[in-house]
Amino acid sequence: MTTIEQTLAAKREQHLKELSDWLSIPSVSALSEHKEDMTRTAQWTADQLTTIGLENVEIMPTKGHPVVYGEYLQHDDKPTVLIYGHYDVQPVDPIELWDTPPFEPDIRDNKIYARGATDDKGQTFMHIKALETLKAVHGELPINVKVMIEGEEEIGSPNLDAFVEQYKEKLKADVLVISDTTMIEKGKPTVCYGLRGLAGLQVDLKGAKGDLHSGLYGGGVQNPLHALASLLSSMHDEKGRVTVEGFYDNVIPLMDEEKAAYDALNYDESALIEELKVPELFGEEGYSFLERTWVRPTLEINGMFGGFQGEGIKTVLPAEASAKISCRLVPGQDPDDIVERLDAHIEKHMPKGVTFTTTPFDKGKPFVTPYDHPAIQRAGEALEEVYGEKTAYTRMGGSLPIAETFSEILDLPIVLMGFGLPSENFHAPNEHFHLENFDQGLRAICNYYEKLSKTGLS
């Protein structure tokens, strides 16, 4: 009988040709000029799902770009896996920094270069080909699957919440699998089981009716920039801890097993210092860099502006000053609650002599799948067997609103099983995907779905 390894080896060139065809379509969701390309990409995706033997394949409309859906539901006694990916890609600017055209895929140094190569067409394509391979080898899929591939992730998935809510019965599953994240480092298989949430706001301070001459009014009228600096400095203490009242009240602490797993990674903070060219790392006292960026909440000033910005000096007392503030949140924290606490802190600590307004930004809740959940552990085992390296179980510091959407509406565990690398220039010129992870990842996904077929999840 032909094995998975043999089938993948025999089909490798065909798979790369098909992936190149998909990458050649400029499915840039942010630009209206690519609307027809988005439609063409959705059709290409639907044709692939039909070709590999999925049933009830549909191109489902939304208020924006469509969602492509297909399913295989043949087993009463096997778990159902919902596979999520996205077929849209980022704009390519600045085009002059690309070594080869972004929509003319080029393979060199065992990497494929193209927009979408790693984010997320390449990784989504691997799941499609893994299902095709499993069906070819076994004559059927070992699990039930539902595949959902959207076209708006790169513009914030504005229609996803409504779509998932509308079709929550159709999308019901035992586990959600997403490959749209990175491995912790080259050669180190990684399963991510949690992401931080997001909340933030802009604060705008208003002083006098217009800019004032600093010689005539300085020292006698509040300077909004001074007031802003004072306000922002009140939000942290000297040890990096956020001083907003109640900010940490509901934070769920890290489990001992998780802390031990992070410590076992032996993360080289000195190498990071060298890479970033900073004199030292800084953050909340008492926590490692990984803990600070994965499992602790933060408050960051993302931008400050006001006053004269041109060359030289203009001696004015500006009329306005503003700052953008974002918070990364961890399980137990609620974005709405945090924004209310920020507002209360701003009102309490606002210096005299100015008025202010705040404007909240988009919010996203944190999520975590229990570290010891069978779906997480089987993923780690599948990766370890293929890569021959112990799997890193991580949380990640960024936010993925789509994951929170699925977690909140469908109430199912989420496995983030990424095969990209942090160095692959996603969202930047010369995006690429290492083909060693394409090859090993395909085997690992096949291995994972076979393992899930023998695992009780429901």
Side-chain angles (χ1 to χ4, degrees):
M1 181 174 126
T2 304
T3 66
I4 286 173
E5 293 267 358
Q6 291 169 332
T7 301
L8 289 173
K11 293 280 191 179
R12 187 176 191 266
E13 292 308 312
Q14 179 183 328
H15 289 167
L16 290 177
K17 170 63 169 61
E18 291 172 347
L19 175 57
S20 294
D21 290 343
W22 203 23
L23 292 171
S24 297
I25 309 175
S27 51
V28 182
S29 55
L31 302 177
S32 59
E33 65 200 69
H34 289 290
K35 184 175 181 180
E36 290 186 9
D37 295 317
M38 295 298 295
T39 301
R40 189 155 55 101
T41 310
Q43 187 61 60
W44 191 98
T45 308
D47 291 344
Q48 272 286 312
L49 298 187
T50 299
T51 298
I52 69 170
L54 296 194
E55 301 163 351
N56 301 317
V57 174
E58 302 175 70
I59 299 176
M60 305 176 70
T62 72
K63 290 183 179 179
H65 302 302
V67 170
V68 181
Y69 175 85
E71 61 188 21
Y72 181 95
L73 306 174
Q74 299 292 328
H75 305 290
D76 293 333
D77 58 344
K78 300 292 184 182
T80 298
V81 178
L82 175 61
I83 302 168
Y84 167 89
H86 64 91
Y87 63 82
D88 65 319
V89 301
Q90 280 278 324
V92 298
D93 302 297
I95 187 68
E96 66 273 10
L97 296 184
W98 286 80
D99 294 333
T100 52
F103 296 111
E104 296 178 18
D106 184 59
I107 295 176
R108 56 186 188 272
D109 302 324
N110 204 33
K111 304 166 191 170
I112 185 166
Y113 286 79
R115 173 59 86 226
T118 188
D119 181 21
D120 179 44
K121 284 181 176 177
Q123 297 197 62
T124 298
F125 183 80
M126 291 162 64
H127 285 273
I128 297 172
K129 294 295 111 174
L131 296 176
E132 180 182 56
T133 300
L134 287 167
K135 199 163 187 297
V137 170
H138 298 303
E140 62 177 5
L141 294 181
I143 52 172
N144 299 307
V145 299
K146 298 177 179 181
V147 177
M148 173 189 168
I149 305 175
E150 71 151 322
E152 296 187 320
E153 195 274 345
E154 298 294 4
I155 54 173
S157 301
N159 295 296
L160 186 68
D161 283 20
F163 182 90
V164 175
E165 182 66 46
Q166 181 179 355
Y167 294 106
K168 60 184 177 183
E169 286 302 315
K170 186 184 191 75
L171 299 173
K172 188 176 179 182
D174 297 305
V175 61
L176 171 67
V177 178
I178 302 175
S179 292
D180 193 15
T181 51
T182 63
M183 299 163 62
I184 192 170
E185 62 184 50
K186 187 177 175 66
K188 184 70 171 177
T190 304
V191 174
C192 177
Y193 61 95
L195 293 168
R196 293 192 291 189
L198 185 64
L201 52 77
Q202 178 168 318
V203 56
D204 298 295
L205 278 61
K206 183 78 171 65
K209 62 182 180 179
D211 289 355
L212 302 176
H213 190 292
S214 65
L216 297 177
Y217 295 96
V221 178
Q222 176 67 278
N223 184 325
L225 281 172
H226 294 181
L228 180 64
S230 175
L231 171 68
L232 297 180
S233 68
S234 74
M235 293 183 174
H236 293 88
D237 65 20
E238 68 280 1
K239 296 182 179 180
R241 188 173 174 85
V242 177
T243 54
V244 173
E245 186 174 353
F247 187 78
Y248 297 98
D249 281 0
N250 299 313
V251 170
I252 298 173
L254 188 66
M255 294 191 305
D256 291 342
E257 300 95 314
E258 293 178 282
K259 180 172 174 52
Y262 300 166
D263 292 342
L265 294 174
N266 295 315
Y267 188 79
D268 190 346
E269 293 190 0
S270 62
L272 179 64
I273 290 172
E274 175 61 28
E275 178 189 344
L276 297 179
K277 304 301 181 189
V278 294
E280 61 185 71
L281 300 178
F282 177 78
E284 187 182 0
E285 189 175 67
Y287 296 92
S288 68
F289 175 79
L290 292 184
E291 290 170 334
R292 290 170 182 167
T293 56
W294 288 356
V295 299
R296 296 299 294 169
T298 64
L299 185 155
E300 298 291 345
I301 311 304
N302 307 122
M304 302 167 58
F305 43 98
F308 179 62
Q309 306 290 318
E311 184 178 358
I313 186 169
K314 182 180 181 183
T315 55
V316 296
L317 191 156
E320 299 176 349
S322 302
K324 296 179 185 292
I325 301 168
S326 69
C327 299
R328 298 289 177 170
L329 310 179
V330 298
Q333 292 181 302
D334 178 78
D336 292 325
D337 175 67
I338 293 299
V339 169
E340 288 181 11
R341 294 180 185 277
L342 283 174
D343 277 327
H345 181 96
I346 289 168
E347 184 167 3
K348 181 178 179 180
H349 291 83
M350 183 63 64
K352 295 179 180 179
V354 292
T355 58
F356 73 94
T357 58
T358 61
T359 306
F361 296 137
D362 291 342
K363 307 179 186 80
K365 291 184 179 179
F367 93 90
V368 63
T369 296
Y371 170 74
D372 57 356
H373 192 284
I376 296 290
Q377 293 300 312
R378 296 300 88 75
E381 293 163 9
L383 288 162
E384 195 167 318
E385 289 172 4
V386 171
Y387 278 84
E389 183 75 27
K390 190 172 179 60
T391 297
Y393 296 93
T394 73
R395 298 197 210 177
M396 288 189 179
S399 302
L400 195 62
I402 54 151
E404 187 270 323
T405 293
F406 285 113
S407 177
E408 187 82 1
I409 298 175
L410 299 182
D411 188 27
L412 76 179
I414 301 173
V415 177
L416 296 170
M417 193 176 183
F419 299 96
L421 293 176
S423 61
E424 288 178 336
N425 291 0
F426 38 90
H427 293 203
N430 299 310
E431 179 180 349
H432 57 279
F433 189 32
H434 285 67
L435 292 182
E436 65 192 69
N437 287 326
F438 179 79
D439 296 329
Q440 290 179 295
L442 273 166
R443 287 160 35 215
I445 292 169
C446 290
N447 191 9
Y448 180 45
Y449 290 151
E450 288 185 324
K451 286 183 178 296
L452 282 184
S453 72
K454 304 167 187 151
T455 303
L457 295 180
S458 53

